[in-house]
Amino acid sequence: MTVKSPMRAGAWRRWSSSAPAGLLITAALAGGFPAALSAQRAAYEELQTFSGVLRHIQLNYVDSVTYGQLVPAAIRGMLRALDPHSYYVARADWEKQNALERGELGTTGILLEDVEGVPTVVAVLPRSPAAKSGVLPGDRLVMVNDTAVVG
């Protein structure tokens, strides 16, 4: 007797290799799928829907978007829907932040914001070159090495 699966063959084999042989035969004879297979089938169908939406957006959206932009955005949205504490950080961003925290990347140690056309210091990282030189939040940068930066 052959049991046909609506999923690709590899997915069926992965599930069936860990299930007892008697369970598969009993399920096939009874005409039903085990609960695990049913859940796997539902997940597969949902992933097919998600993949279709991604493909549709990538092909038909008015601006050009890539899967590299869409997938991380989808992941962030999915985690945001769970709770306010779950979030996604891309590997490159995580490694950059860790390198900054370990002091492996050079930085001035200030966070700037444009206020009325003037770069204004919003925050100064402790033990940074900016903190050591006396830069404080609220300071406004108007010149850097004899070059005007206003506007």
Side-chain angles (χ1 to χ4, degrees):
M1 168 184 249
T2 303
V3 177
K4 296 195 180 204
S5 170
M7 297 179 291
R8 66 186 199 291
W12 174 257
R13 278 197 302 273
R14 275 197 301 275
W15 182 83
S16 65
S17 65
S18 63
L23 176 64
L24 291 176
I25 293 169
T26 303
L29 292 175
F33 289 105
L37 183 57
S38 180
Q40 187 175 9
R41 180 178 174 187
Y44 179 77
E45 289 172 359
E46 293 297 326
L47 287 173
Q48 286 293 97
T49 301
F50 178 77
S51 177
V53 170
L54 278 178
R55 186 173 32 258
H56 181 76
I57 291 171
Q58 203 269 333
L59 293 173
N60 299 307
Y61 191 66
V62 66
D63 294 325
S64 63
V65 290
T66 65
Y67 289 123
Q69 294 170 304
L70 293 173
V71 170
I75 293 169
R76 282 191 294 274
M78 177 176 45
L79 291 173
R80 191 174 24 246
L82 294 176
D83 60 67
H85 309 291
S86 300
Y87 60 93
Y88 170 74
V89 178
R91 179 183 299 270
D93 294 338
W94 179 262
E95 290 172 355
K96 183 178 177 182
Q97 184 62 36
N98 281 339
L100 281 169
E101 290 172 356
R102 288 189 307 268
E104 295 172 0
L105 290 178
T107 179
T108 58
I110 57 175
L111 176 63
L112 298 174
E113 185 176 282
D114 187 354
V115 177
E116 299 173 359
V118 179
T120 304
V121 178
V122 176
V124 180
L125 295 175
R127 299 185 311 271
S128 68
K132 291 176 184 173
S133 66
V135 176
L136 298 171
D139 287 352
R140 302 177 86 171
L141 302 178
V142 291
M143 296 193 74
V144 175
N145 295 336
D146 299 326
T147 303
V149 295
V150 176

